[in-house]
Amino acid sequence: MASRDEAFVYLAFALVVIFVRMWARWVQVGPSNWQLDDYLMPLTGVVLTLKTITVHVVSASFQGLTNSYMTDAERAALDPDSTEYLYRQWGSKIQLIAWSFYAFILWASKVCVIVFYGRLTSGLMLMHLRLRMRIAYVFLGVTYVLVALSLLVACRPMSKYWQINPDPGDLCYPANSKFRIFVVLVPNIVTDAYLLSIPLPLLWVADIGTRRKVTLMLLFSGAIFVAIAGILRGVSILLAGPEGAITGSEWACRETFVAIVVANLPIIHPFFRQAKAKIGSSALFSRSRAGASADDCSPPESGWSGVGGGAAYRYPHLPPTSYLRGTSSASDRSAALDRDPRNWYEQPPDGLGSAVVTREFTVVRKGMAVNQESKEKMWYTERVAV
């Protein structure tokens, strides 16, 4: 009973994380500017709910029985009209469905991560980075199709997945097939490693404080914990004996929970940081603005003038250093950029201008717009809440 309760506890926490993420994106950009990950993550929450139900059904209704862990003599002696025979067939069918849900949750979470990376780096004009992002999309798509097909068509005909007698063979064991374990585990680890290779090198060379750099690297290294959970799941299935179906399902719940938290944490991280700053206890996500430090927004040199009591600064003498585009928000970028205002300087697309950046990441853009036909010039001021 404790393990069943554990699965629903993970589900509840995961749904809360997804809800907070949806609310954060709603506040940041509004539903009209949602992107793929904003729709895919709620769908992932629905699939996680269905998967948790299948885990409960296998353990509570069918006693964790499948067509695995039986000798040839036990298979021959089992009465096809018995309750155990029925339980083993239905347990095998539900395990097959649970594996499909499990793979979808993992790969959907990876897609959400790569879409977030796309927003995070949209202002960086680095061709190699764009190429790696495209490769990530293709890599995730190809590996998911291969994994999904391997789970469903490796054993033919499909009825052998719940066949009891004769022994259908390792490929047709939904609960503890070695092939099934490695066909998911290996692509899962490889894709996680590739996703880690995108943000970590940028953070490693970023000109930010060591403490903040370590914090952000840990934030973006959550895929390591997902990979560890996957390895533990595979080992537990292979070593659990007749309880492998239940043990594997329990570890699948833990791994999918970690995957969802890891995919959503960079999105909701700025909100946690702001909340901690308000109560004066932010040792991890934000630092006090009282006093001078290497990471605060104090003017680093002459030429800076304070605006709003030191909450923002104007730096008109240097050219813009970055251009934030599209529907990406500064809250996304705040997970990977220094709080130095020069990293938040925007370039107006139609003329010269400067930017004022507030503590709440509200950008006031001032610039000159030029009519291409009449050549008439007009100064404009635009406030962008990001």
Side-chain angles (χ1 to χ4, degrees):
M1 181 63 68
S3 60
R4 300 173 197 169
D5 293 341
E6 180 185 8
F8 284 101
V9 169
Y10 287 137
L11 173 63
F13 276 107
L15 294 180
V16 168
V17 170
I18 293 174
F19 175 80
V20 173
R21 178 218 199 280
M22 294 173 62
W23 174 78
R25 288 290 291 166
W26 187 292
V27 172
Q28 289 172 359
V29 300
S32 61
N33 292 318
W34 277 13
Q35 297 185 358
L36 174 62
D37 58 326
D38 299 312
Y39 298 99
L40 185 57
M41 185 52 66
L43 176 61
T44 304
V46 173
V47 176
L48 178 65
T49 302
L50 296 175
K51 184 190 176 302
T52 304
I53 293 174
T54 62
V55 171
H56 174 76
V57 170
V58 168
S59 60
S61 300
F62 302 116
Q63 302 176 8
L65 296 175
T66 64
N67 64 352
S68 308
Y69 308 108
M70 298 181 70
T71 65
D72 291 338
E74 290 173 337
R75 295 177 186 276
L78 185 61
D79 184 1
D81 296 325
S82 65
T83 301
E84 180 182 347
Y85 193 95
L86 179 66
Y87 282 2
R88 288 188 178 277
Q89 281 194 322
W90 276 102
S92 299
K93 293 176 182 179
I94 294 177
Q95 279 285 336
L96 183 62
I97 296 173
W99 271 97
S100 299
F101 287 161
Y102 166 76
F104 176 85
I105 294 169
L106 292 183
W107 264 259
S109 299
K110 298 175 195 290
V111 171
C112 291
V113 170
I114 201 63
V115 174
F116 169 74
Y117 287 169
R119 287 198 301 272
L120 190 69
T121 59
S122 61
L124 302 179
M125 304 304 180
L126 301 176
M127 293 304 297
H128 73 88
L129 189 59
R130 292 182 178 181
L131 177 61
R132 297 188 67 184
M133 299 290 290
R134 295 191 184 103
I135 292 175
Y137 281 112
V138 175
F139 193 24
L140 291 178
V142 171
T143 52
Y144 176 70
V145 170
L146 292 176
V147 168
L149 290 177
S150 298
L151 292 176
L152 295 176
V153 303
C155 174
R156 305 299 298 171
M158 184 168 286
S159 59
K160 293 182 69 176
Y161 277 118
W162 51 87
Q163 176 177 300
I164 307 298
N165 189 39
D167 189 343
D170 181 77
L171 286 177
C172 301
Y173 294 160
N176 68 330
S177 169
K178 296 180 179 63
F179 168 80
R180 189 173 298 270
I181 293 172
F182 286 104
V183 82
V184 175
L185 180 61
V186 174
N188 184 31
I189 294 177
V190 173
T191 51
D192 282 341
Y194 185 82
L195 294 183
L196 285 172
S197 70
I198 295 176
L200 294 188
L202 295 177
L203 290 173
W204 182 258
V205 298
D207 186 18
I208 57 179
T210 302
R211 182 178 179 181
R212 184 166 176 78
K213 180 181 294 188
V214 172
T215 299
L216 292 174
M217 292 186 74
L218 289 176
L219 180 66
F220 286 96
S221 299
I224 296 176
F225 300 101
V226 181
I228 293 174
I231 294 173
L232 292 175
R233 179 178 189 262
V235 172
S236 65
I237 292 175
L238 295 175
L239 300 181
E243 298 296 325
I246 296 178
T247 303
S249 297
E250 293 171 354
W251 272 103
C253 290
R254 296 163 188 152
E255 182 180 0
T256 51
F257 167 74
V258 173
I260 287 178
V261 171
V262 166
N264 288 289
L265 190 57
I267 302 291
I268 63 179
H269 159 265
F271 287 84
F272 286 148
R273 184 181 59 189
Q274 293 169 11
K276 284 181 174 291
K278 289 180 180 179
I279 63 176
S281 61
S282 178
L284 176 63
F285 297 123
S286 65
R287 303 171 71 177
S288 174
R289 296 182 61 84
S293 68
D295 284 338
D296 66 15
C297 292
S298 300
E301 54 186 73
S302 61
W304 288 86
S305 60
V307 177
Y313 299 93
R314 185 189 304 276
Y315 196 63
H317 305 302
L318 290 180
T321 58
S322 66
Y323 175 32
L324 311 182
R325 307 179 300 169
T327 60
S328 59
S329 66
S331 295
D332 286 343
R333 288 178 170 79
S334 68
L337 294 179
D338 183 12
R339 285 176 297 182
D340 188 329
R342 285 174 294 181
N343 290 336
W344 290 96
Y345 203 123
E346 285 206 358
Q347 175 185 359
D350 295 318
L352 301 176
S354 60
V356 175
V357 183
T358 70
R359 177 64 173 172
E360 294 75 25
F361 301 114
T362 298
V363 177
V364 179
R365 300 190 294 189
K366 297 182 179 180
M368 178 186 295
V370 181
N371 189 305
Q372 297 300 321
E373 296 180 359
S374 65
K375 304 302 181 182
E376 180 182 359
K377 298 180 180 180
M378 180 181 67
W379 288 95
Y380 68 90
T381 301
E382 181 180 7
R383 182 179 297 275
V384 182
V386 294

